[in-house]
Amino acid sequence: LMFIETIAMQHLMAEIIKKRYRLSKRPDIINGKTGDRIQRLVNDFQEESDFDVMILSPKVGGVGLTLTAANHVIHLSRWWNPAVEDQSTDRAYRIGQKKDVHVYYPMAVHPDTHVREHSFDLKLNALLERKRKLSRDMLIP
């Protein structure tokens, strides 16, 4: 599962993945424009036995989809609310999951050690982790 916020990037990434992995079809995309085809796309993904990719908007990650055929979750574009990211990740962590699930947060980090700590992705990741910790500490002292 690959979570990407912008629709244009979703379609571009689908083409890149199809070409890179020599897939017979473009990966399916679920976003706010998918409409009533969502369940059919989910069923097709769940039944696929070979390598497959599904691209989703982080916003649809919280609508109760079950995608236990996935064992890799990639958050290509980060969402400001860590609860939304966690709900998106949880699409793969459902009853019926038989595989280990791996979650990735790719980050663009400056190679210069003097500048590295000022990289936007590192700062965003630190902010999201602080928000996660704050949320956990409020619920479980």
Side-chain angles (χ1 to χ4, degrees):
L1 304 178
M2 183 175 286
F3 290 93
I4 304 172
E5 183 180 353
T6 59
I7 290 173
M9 184 58 121
Q10 292 169 0
H11 291 285
L12 178 62
M13 186 57 72
E15 286 300 323
I16 291 169
I17 290 169
K18 178 185 179 213
K19 191 180 295 183
R20 167 68 175 87
Y21 294 101
R22 298 183 185 109
L23 302 176
S24 60
K25 68 175 185 75
R26 238 177 49 152
D28 290 323
I29 298 171
I30 296 180
N31 57 36
K33 296 183 176 189
T34 306
D36 60 352
R37 298 178 307 124
I38 290 176
Q39 194 55 54
R40 181 182 57 81
L41 295 175
V42 168
N43 292 345
D44 290 349
F45 182 81
Q46 288 293 98
E47 293 170 5
E48 180 64 44
S49 60
D50 294 329
F51 175 83
D52 199 4
V53 176
M54 180 173 279
I55 298 173
L56 303 102
S57 162
K59 294 173 191 166
V60 300
V63 298
L65 301 174
T66 298
L67 296 162
T68 54
N71 65 328
H72 293 273
V73 177
I74 303 168
H75 292 278
L76 195 58
S77 51
R78 304 295 300 270
W79 193 249
W80 63 271
N81 183 345
V84 172
E85 278 191 352
D86 294 344
Q87 284 179 333
S88 296
T89 298
D90 289 345
R91 300 310 99 212
Y93 284 110
R94 295 291 221 205
I95 294 173
Q97 178 57 271
K98 296 178 176 85
K99 302 177 245 177
D100 290 335
V101 176
H102 306 277
V103 182
Y104 305 93
Y105 300 97
M107 291 188 250
V109 178
H110 200 285
D112 184 333
T113 56
H114 296 92
V115 181
R116 178 184 175 88
E117 69 185 63
H118 302 291
S119 298
F120 175 80
D121 285 350
L122 287 179
K123 288 183 175 280
L124 177 60
N125 189 60
L127 173 67
L128 292 171
E129 288 306 314
R130 282 194 308 270
K131 284 181 160 186
R132 276 190 179 92
K133 183 180 181 323
L134 178 62
S135 175
R136 281 191 306 266
D137 291 349
M138 285 180 59
L139 298 173
I140 303 170

